[in-house]
Amino acid sequence: MDISHIEHLGIAVKSIEEQLPYYEQVLGVKCYSIEEVADQKVKTAFFRIGQTKIELLEPMSEDSTIAKFIEKRGEGIHHIAFAVPDVQNALDEAASKGVQLIDKAPRGGAEGLTIAFLHPKSTHGVLTELCMK
């Protein structure tokens, strides 16, 4: 798999608004984008730190995957996203090596990225996102 860098770390939060002061005032990083991804029932906020980003994920519905994650595990790191040149090729390679896929085909994500997830049962408990611009 041709990974160029860690694209972002996804962090599940109950409220982006409540988290903003920590990131902006304590850590000194500015939120540059807040958007809703309706089909994933999530609101996102992004912060850039060098080449890597932090993505806060707030559930927009009680039945969203983020709401279920928070209910089960509490707020915290949800996933790691790796930048790849071709998500479908990366999915095919992972599948050929026995990795269980959440997404069999790429889909749209926040910031206009093309994304797909690998199942944490096959990635030693780490929800892994593959993404490309």
Side-chain angles (χ1 to χ4, degrees):
M1 199 172 296
D2 187 17
I3 295 172
S4 62
H5 63 280
I6 294 173
E7 210 287 332
H8 66 268
L9 295 174
I11 301 174
V13 300
K14 292 177 184 174
S15 168
I16 287 171
E17 293 304 317
E18 290 177 12
Q19 297 281 340
L20 285 177
Y22 171 71
Y23 287 90
E24 294 187 331
Q25 296 169 17
V26 176
L27 297 181
V29 292
K30 178 79 174 129
C31 176
Y32 69 85
S33 174
I34 295 178
E35 73 176 276
E36 292 182 3
V37 184
D39 66 327
Q40 295 178 33
K41 301 177 187 174
V42 68
K43 181 172 154 182
T44 64
F46 283 94
F47 306 84
R48 184 175 300 281
I49 302 170
Q51 188 177 12
T52 304
K53 296 179 277 188
I54 300 291
E55 176 189 34
L56 301 184
L57 301 149
E58 175 185 324
M60 293 174 43
S61 169
E62 289 181 18
D63 67 341
S64 74
T65 57
I66 297 301
K68 292 174 186 173
F69 177 90
I70 291 171
E71 183 179 312
K72 190 181 222 180
R73 299 190 177 147
E75 294 178 297
I77 294 178
H78 179 259
H79 68 272
I80 185 168
F82 295 106
V84 296
D86 186 314
V87 173
Q88 187 62 61
N89 283 345
L91 283 173
D92 294 345
E93 181 180 342
S96 75
K97 294 178 179 175
V99 174
Q100 183 180 348
L101 309 179
I102 291 175
D103 298 301
K104 304 231 185 310
R107 57 187 164 109
E111 295 198 302
L113 294 175
T114 299
I115 66 167
F117 284 90
L118 306 180
H119 202 289
K121 288 181 180 176
S122 294
T123 58
H124 306 282
V126 179
L127 180 59
T128 303
E129 180 180 6
L130 304 171
C131 55
M132 69 181 199
K133 289 187 179 189

